[in-house]
Every structure is written in structure tokens, then in C-alpha cells.
Amino acid sequence: MTQEFIRIQTDDFSVENETIKLRDTSKRIGGIVTFLGTARDFSKGQEINKMDFEHYPGMAEKRLGEIRDQALKDYDIIEVTIIHRVGEIAVGENIVLIIVGAEHRQDAFRACSWCIDELKRITPIWKKETTPKGVVWVEEHP
Amino acid sequence: MTVKVRFFAVLKSLVGKSELSLDVEKGISFGQILGKLKVDFPALDKIMKEGKILVSVNQDVVGADYLLKDGDEIAFLPPFAGGSATH
């Protein structure tokens, strides 16, 4: 079941399909919070042409699974989906999706915020940005 | 015995490769092999002094006294930057 809700993939994902899939896991879900991270065209004063995400296969999926497990333990929520894309991503495209379903919205908001912060902190995924001035690996801090 | 060493992201270009296989004597510790790699790759030694590089063995953090086994995988991980471009 975890694999269904935790994925690292090159293909784009459907926010709608993933939301329905999570919603349909339980009739107790009364609130769903979604975080969708997308590729913007400007960063730190530089125009961005495209970005590439690289991950450590195995370890990255393991860390996303740990984040999901911890969120389910620490917050009063019902289900969590975490999907991160890797490979080349064009400006405007989807990068990362986190969906949290809970009985009530407050726990869903809190858990969703925690999940994206934790993802950035502990998941071995790296971003390379291509700008008109060249290519740079980004060290980003939440 | 043989251990695999992997480099990710910016470290690949600094070291000039993404992975290598090392033949090492049985009983060598993680700390000893780290020392050897720092000598072989001065750029790695320099960036590791900044304290931002995480090094894992078989995808977990281990101590310097960990004794490596045949087939172990060591990975050098620069600071992570996953998530979205929108902070």
C-alpha cells in the first residue's frame, strides 16, 4: 500500500487522480490539504531555463516512506501521499505533490506543512538549474 | 573485498565520476576508507572540510569505526535540495 502513496518518478502526476485515490481510502476523511510544488522561472535573481532533479534511488524512497509513517504517527490524519518527480523538468511543470487527508482540516494543514519541510531536510534529492549564465547545483534551505 | 563508492550531484563533477569500485583489505573501517578517499580526491577533502557533506553506508549513517563488508555501498551526499522551487 505504501508504494501506491510514496513515489519518485520521471513522469508527471495528476493532482486530481491522486486526490481522488487518497480520498477514497476512507469515508472518515473530511478534509484534504494539498501542497503542489512547481518549477518557477526565476530564482535568486537568475532566470531559469530548466531544472534537473537527481535522487539516490532506494534511499530517497525510504526517506519519503519514513516521512509518511512519522506524519501518520504524530498527527491525527488518515492518509498521506508524497510524489516527487526527478529528471528534467521544464518551467511551469509539477515537481512535488503532498496530499494529506484527515477528519478535520487543522491536522491536515499541519501535517502537510511538516511533510514538505521534512522532505527538503532529509530526502536525498538534488536540483540542478540551467540559467543563461550556466548550470548550478542548488543548495536550498527551507 | 570490493566496496562501491557513489558520488551525487555537484560531487560528481568535483570528483570527475559518479561511482567507483574499490578493492580494499578485509577489516578496513569506514573511517580508514574515508581517509584514503580524501587523499585520492583532494577536491573531496576540501569540500568535506566545510562540513556539509553526508556520507552513508548502505543508505544509513554509520560511525568511523564501522567495519566495511564486501559489497557495501558508500555514498557521498551533498546538501539536499528537493521539494519545490516555490519556497
Side-chain angles (χ1 to χ4, degrees), chain A residues 15 18 20 33 36 42 49 54 61 63 66 69 71-72 75 80 85 87 91 94 103 111 128 130 132-133:
Chain A
V15 178
E18 297 300 335
I20 290 168
V33 170
L36 175 65
F42 206 75
N49 299 332
E54 178 183 344
E61 288 86 346
R63 288 286 167 86
E66 288 167 1
D69 292 347
L72 287 168
Y75 296 90
V80 182
R85 289 182 64 202
V91 166
N94 296 330
E103 287 187 31
K128 186 171 70 177
T130 303
K133 288 186 177 173

Side-chain angles (χ1 to χ4, degrees), chain A:
Chain A
M1 182 145 177
T2 306
Q3 270 191 330
E4 202 178 332
F5 295 99
I6 296 295
R7 299 202 307 271
I8 291 182
Q9 60 188 49
T10 51
D11 293 340
D12 196 8
F13 45 74
S14 160
V15 178
E16 186 180 2
N17 291 350
E18 297 300 335
T19 305
I20 290 168
K21 195 194 295 178
L22 179 133
R23 185 197 64 193
D24 290 350
T25 58
S26 173
K27 293 274 189 286
R28 279 198 299 126
I29 291 177
I32 294 175
V33 170
T34 298
F35 172 79
L36 175 65
T38 57
R40 66 171 173 222
D41 68 351
F42 206 75
S43 178
K44 295 173 185 162
Q46 286 278 339
E47 190 185 328
I48 307 291
N49 299 332
K50 66 161 182 146
M51 47 189 76
D52 288 87
F53 285 85
E54 178 183 344
H55 74 304
Y56 186 177
M59 187 177 186
E61 288 86 346
K62 188 172 146 193
R63 288 286 167 86
L64 293 187
E66 288 167 1
I67 292 168
R68 175 179 176 271
D69 292 347
Q70 197 64 44
L72 287 168
K73 197 171 149 195
D74 291 350
Y75 296 90
D76 192 6
I77 58 176
I78 295 168
E79 191 49 90
V80 182
T81 294
I82 308 176
I83 302 171
H84 203 298
R85 289 182 64 202
V86 290
E88 187 176 318
I89 292 180
V91 166
E93 287 187 356
N94 296 330
I95 301 172
V96 58
L97 176 67
I98 297 177
I99 312 175
V100 179
E103 287 187 31
H104 305 289
R105 69 184 184 282
Q106 281 163 339
D107 286 299
F109 274 117
R110 277 197 290 265
C112 190
S113 177
W114 179 82
C115 284
I116 186 61
D117 286 348
E118 199 66 356
L119 183 154
K120 292 170 86 76
R121 193 176 74 82
I122 69 164
T123 311
I125 295 177
W126 301 274
K127 178 170 67 177
K128 186 171 70 177
E129 291 177 341
T130 303
T131 75
K133 288 186 177 173
V135 171
V136 63
W137 285 99
V138 178
E139 278 185 35
E140 203 162 32
H141 302 285

